[in-house]
Amino acid sequence: MSIQAALKAREEALAPALEQSLRRAAERVPGFAARLAEAGLTPDSFQAGHAVSEVLGQLPVLSKDELVERQQADPPHGGMLAADADVARWFQSPGPLYEPQLEGADWRWGQALADLGVGAEDVVINCFGYHLSPAGAMLEQGVRSVGAAVVPGGIGNQDLQARALADLGVTGYVGLPSYLKALIERFDGLEGVAADRWRLERALMTAEPLPESLRAVIAERVPAARMAYGTGETGLLAWEPAGEDPLAGHGMVLADGVDVQVCEIGTGRPVDDGTEGEVVVTLLRSDYPLVRFGTGDLSGWTLGPDGSLRLRGVLGRTGAAVKVRGMFLHPRQVASVMEGVEGVADYRFVIERVDHVDQLRCEVVPAAASGGEPGAGATTTGPEGEALARRVADRVREGLRFSTRVQVVEALSPGDGPVVDVRDWS
């Protein structure tokens, strides 16, 4: 089977539910109806006899930045939520971008966990954040959907989490791959705990790359460890299937119940071959029609051994945002947080990778005593430099939710932007 044939088969399978969802969304959600009108489309454009995917392709891709702008112009949801939608939770992702958790919504993570073999006999530690960001709640819903018990670990408190692994006989993990490595090391450092109390056999990891070197370290302790791909706005999109060698290049299985496209950068036209493009997603919900949403992630199509349509994984990003410890960092966010920090004339954020863990360093150039520009009177050391570093660290922690090491320097390298990524993923 060719990629084109596999794409057509998936589109035909999704078409009835997609058509119904889009038509109903246009009736319920003014913001979506306005998007259709701007593209010269109407609810009647989605009807029998018309290829839904072709009609949908006429709608411009909705970028994350545009969604943020719509929400700021018409808070909190930018007119993209039905008036009678039942919102159980609101989350805030960097931007800020507000995401509703709708009652009855399924983020689909249970599909990947079930394939991994997680079930009612398992105890799974969830090491994603539960505060403001959606990842913790998303993965908890997925774990509960397959009947497993959850240890809501979140991020941090690794000594307590490692103790819980031993005391509760934890068998599963969801979280960052780098965090799993840290937990393994913390468990091995527990005093008085026998090695045979390590029971963790399955791990579903996401939100950061998994280089082969780190995969090999994890595989020594966790026999079934697989990567998955999703976003905070859309939920699970694809995962590495169990029973296949993840290094064989067969790609990621697509989740059921969501429309996934790979589209040309700039034009938004769907790609029907192996060409790299942006992952664009449409949720099948009429109360929150996130339609033709551009994730900013780059991928491409491939075929599995059985001829099924697969994503090749996340191959990069289309925009200026980068992921650090599983969360996005955008130059626009950095600018809003650093604007007006007393005593700072210039700055940049440097992202490094040390022992498979992301490290964020903020380099700041102090302003002169007279204000404004660096020069005579600018202090990089001593009490004044230390006080400046503390002010910046506090501002970053409060505004970006990142902990960072602040280094006060005399000058920055010419040509560097506000966010510099020097990570090596080998």
Side-chain angles (χ1 to χ4, degrees):
M1 180 180 289
S2 67
I3 290 176
Q4 290 87 349
L7 269 170
K8 184 176 181 181
R10 181 174 171 87
E11 290 170 358
E12 290 176 349
L14 279 173
L18 186 58
E19 176 190 329
Q20 182 180 14
S21 173
L22 294 171
R23 287 175 61 85
R24 182 74 177 115
E27 298 169 355
R28 300 179 66 187
V29 182
F32 179 57
R35 282 188 67 199
L36 291 178
E38 291 166 5
L41 300 172
T42 70
D44 291 335
S45 300
F46 305 102
Q47 57 183 321
H50 294 72
V52 176
S53 59
E54 293 180 7
V55 176
L56 197 58
Q58 300 175 41
L59 192 67
V61 172
L62 177 68
S63 71
K64 189 171 296 191
D65 287 346
E66 182 182 348
L67 186 54
V68 169
E69 291 171 1
R70 285 175 180 261
Q71 290 186 351
Q72 290 175 347
D74 184 13
H77 48 70
M80 300 303 293
L81 190 67
D84 60 348
D86 188 358
V87 179
R89 292 188 180 98
W90 279 104
F91 299 107
Q92 183 197 71
S93 292
L97 179 63
Y98 294 98
E99 298 131 345
Q101 178 191 349
L102 302 175
E103 196 63 44
D106 179 10
W107 281 307
R108 300 173 301 280
W109 292 95
Q111 296 179 27
L113 288 162
D115 182 60
L116 193 60
V118 178
E121 302 301 318
D122 287 294
V123 177
V124 178
I125 188 166
N126 180 4
C127 290
F128 280 114
Y130 277 78
H131 299 115
L132 288 180
S133 63
M138 278 190 171
L139 271 297
E140 172 151 329
Q141 182 196 65
V143 173
R144 291 299 301 138
S145 74
V146 297
V150 179
V151 179
I155 300 170
N157 300 314
Q158 289 182 7
D159 284 335
L160 296 177
Q161 292 175 0
R163 174 64 64 176
L165 294 180
D167 293 345
L168 296 175
V170 170
T171 56
Y173 168 91
V174 291
L176 300 174
S178 60
Y179 199 84
L180 177 54
K181 175 179 179 292
L183 273 187
I184 292 171
E185 293 171 349
R186 196 62 60 95
F187 180 93
D188 291 345
L190 290 176
E191 294 185 4
V193 175
D196 62 4
R197 293 180 68 182
W198 176 266
R199 306 290 175 81
L200 210 159
E201 298 179 344
R202 300 177 179 86
L204 187 70
M205 303 166 291
T206 187
E208 70 178 8
L210 178 59
E212 290 185 27
S213 56
L214 179 54
R215 190 189 287 271
V217 170
I218 291 172
E220 291 178 359
R221 298 292 291 275
V222 185
R226 290 291 185 269
M227 285 292 289
Y229 166 52
T231 77
E233 302 83 13
T234 65
L236 175 73
L237 300 176
W239 72 91
E240 294 175 344
E244 292 183 8
D245 179 359
L247 300 180
H250 295 319
M252 291 182 158
V253 174
L254 290 167
D256 293 331
V258 62
D259 183 60
V260 180
Q261 297 177 314
V262 175
C263 296
E264 291 182 356
I265 306 299
T267 70
R269 287 194 293 267
V271 170
D272 64 356
D273 56 22
T275 305
E276 187 176 298
E278 181 180 13
V279 177
V280 175
V281 179
T282 296
L283 300 183
L284 306 186
R285 290 197 66 103
S286 64
D287 47 5
Y288 183 55
L290 199 60
V291 177
R292 290 268 286 167
F293 174 73
T295 63
D297 295 320
L298 293 174
S299 191
W301 295 121
T302 188
L303 295 177
D306 58 354
S308 63
L309 189 66
R310 304 276 183 93
L311 275 180
R312 284 159 51 200
V314 179
L315 307 178
R317 291 284 300 168
T318 63
V322 293
K323 267 190 176 178
V324 184
R325 303 173 200 154
M327 294 179 61
F328 281 109
L329 181 65
H330 195 289
R332 182 186 62 246
Q333 301 165 247
V334 168
S336 66
V337 167
M338 294 299 294
E339 182 179 3
V341 178
E342 181 183 355
V344 174
D346 202 358
Y347 66 87
R348 72 176 177 187
F349 286 76
V350 181
I351 309 165
E352 301 171 306
R353 189 84 170 167
V354 179
D355 195 21
H356 299 297
V357 177
D358 289 345
Q359 305 288 341
L360 184 64
R361 182 177 77 254
C362 179
E363 298 178 348
V364 295
V365 179
S370 58
E373 300 294 334
T379 303
T380 60
T381 59
E384 292 184 23
E386 293 173 0
L388 176 60
R390 286 195 298 272
R391 283 200 302 276
V392 172
D394 289 344
R395 178 69 72 90
V396 171
R397 188 164 47 250
E398 293 172 2
L400 294 177
R401 289 184 278 163
F402 284 106
S403 59
T404 182
R405 181 169 65 88
V406 178
Q407 182 179 4
V408 183
V409 298
E410 294 183 358
L412 302 179
S413 303
D416 286 340
V419 178
V420 181
D421 190 350
V422 297
R423 288 175 292 188
D424 181 359
W425 293 103
S426 62

